[in-house]
Amino acid sequence: MTRHRDVELLAVGAGPSNIALAVALEELAPVDLARNSLLIERSETVAWQRGMLLPWTQAQVSFLKDLVTLRDPRSKFSFLNYLHSVDRLNEFVNLGTFTPYRTEISDYLQWAANTLSTVRVEYGRGCASIGPVMDSNGVLTGWLTRLADGSTIASRFLSIGVGREPNIPEVFLRLPDRRLIHSTQYLPRISEMSKDLPYHVAVIGGAQSAAEMLYSVQQDLPSCRATMVMRSIGLNNYEHSKFTNELYYPSFTDEFYNALPGAREQFLRELHRTNYAGLNPALLDALYRQLYQERLVGKQRIQMITMTDVTGARMDSDEVVLELTDRKTGGVSELRCDLVLLGTGFAPRMPRLVRHLSSALRLDRIAVTRQYRLIVDGPATAACYLQGVNEATHGIADSLLSVLAKRASEITEDILTWRPSLQPRHQPGQQPPSALTPSQGATQVLGIS
Ligand SMILES: Cc1cc2nc3c(=O)[nH]c(=O)nc-3n(C[C@H](O)[C@H](O)[C@H](O)COP(=O)(O)OP(=O)(O)OC[C@H]3O[C@@H](n4cnc5c(N)ncnc54)[C@H](O)[C@@H]3O)c2cc1C
């Protein structure tokens, strides 16, 4: 493969955010921009939340919140057109649901990526780092992306859609990797374990991912027993009100973005249980029924410990020992187990790639405009868009499918507003640009003229 390439727009991560952007570029942008856009993905395929692609799980949003429908219901990239093209439309209609299986959303995303005709998608291309490129006047003119294989891609526009990083509470960091599985790694890691051992599994967390792992692990490790440890007073359904669900409309992003800090904080606090801290009612019911039946026959395979913090974790010969602190009494006890499954969600911080890029740019804080463009100091003829990580400024739907279609068109429009006034970055045949690294100042002049 060529060691250095130049594209106009590079999108890093082929998740829903950047696939929606690729579709918007094909449908809304001039063909020369779409043709000069490249989407790279570190895996060999597209998969939606690969680690938790459990066959029985359903999406929690309507199929109408797909990559395109809310911005253009006539687009050929709709979920309905996908169903039609895989010959499952009648059956889906007959199923009578708004919430497809997670696996079919995943398949839809791969189908959409395969259906792109102008924007290119390349798999097995992990991005290792991104640096800014400045001209001799200190103007930010582009980005230099270094891939895991050592090759580089220069671009004027960049869209980072790499998802959020797993939240691994510090107390678990002392455990060896082989005893700890975060939900993002659940399926590949659990499939490597020998099935017949009588593991005792601790599942940490009290929301959807933890509950899904608790349910799944009983089939995946058929001889295991499992203990769920949570800080909350017990499992809860996620809140669902048609009134507050209106706050997931793409049109609500403006209202949230323009709200006072206190109001933003109230929105996020009150909406927390609609997305983060609750379970799908069917799963909650299934788990309660299982507990009830186990009590009935006097043989408990699963157990729940509520209002409890894990305050320590260590190995004792071949066993994991978790120190549990009861929030009601302050009492401390031990839970001995073989494996810990973490349903502890995602870290609120920006992804590593973005943090490193911002330190190379010497930014005091990482923030984006309403159009998701990273705010940089000083003059720039290049732009970087951040997708799925702007909950604090763009609202709770930012990391979800709900706003994807509209966000992709807003980013495309922002690029199209800038683009005509920009000069070509550098002439064909010129040396590849150099990027600033975090240790160099963003004011230092490097690279192309
Ligand atoms: C278990 C689970 C269930 C969910 N269910 C729902 C739901 O029902 N409804 C909903 O709206 N939202 C749901 N979500 C939220 C989810 O975050 C969004 O639906 C959506 O996946 C976000 O898309 P994204 O493209 O921003 O990020 P992601 O989907 O995380 O995609 C990021 C992509 O970037 C790739 N990548 C990462 N790093 C690199 C790199 N360095 N180089 C190249 N590629 C890279 C990854 O492999 C991945 O393909 C769920 C999340 C989880 C964890």
Side-chain angles (χ1 to χ4, degrees), residues 13 15-17 41-42 48-49 59-60 127 161-163 346 399-401:
S17 296
E41 166 59 41
R42 67 180 170 192
W48 189 43
Q49 304 303 339
Q60 288 177 359
C127 167
V162 293
F346 292 86
S399 68
L400 304 177
L401 303 183

Side-chain angles (χ1 to χ4, degrees), residues 2 12 21 23 29 32 72 84 160 187 205 237 294 298 309 319 348 357 374 412 415 421:
T2 330
V12 181
L21 178 63
V23 169
D32 65 314
D72 179 5
H84 177 67
I160 305 181
L187 277 177
N237 284 335
E294 287 179 357
D309 291 304
E319 268 188 328
L357 178 58
L374 181 66
T412 304
I415 292 172
S421 61

Side-chain angles (χ1 to χ4, degrees), residues 420-436:
S421 61
L422 303 176
Q423 298 301 310
R425 235 169 34 262
H426 66 283
Q427 301 306 315
Q430 231 177 329
Q431 286 297 305
S434 336
L436 291 168

Side-chain angles (χ1 to χ4, degrees), residues 12-18 40-43 47-50 52 58-61 102 125-128 161-164 209 212 346 352-353 387-388 399-402 404 407:
V12 181
S17 296
N18 272 331
I40 57 168
E41 166 59 41
R42 67 180 170 192
S43 301
W48 189 43
Q49 304 303 339
R50 198 176 297 270
M52 290 296 280
Q58 285 172 259
Q60 288 177 359
V61 294
R102 219 178 262 165
R125 301 259 184 272
C127 167
V162 293
R164 292 175 297 167
S209 292
E212 286 179 8
F346 292 86
R352 181 190 57 85
L353 284 177
Q387 298 205 60
S399 68
L400 304 177
L401 303 183
S402 318
L404 281 185
R407 181 171 68 209

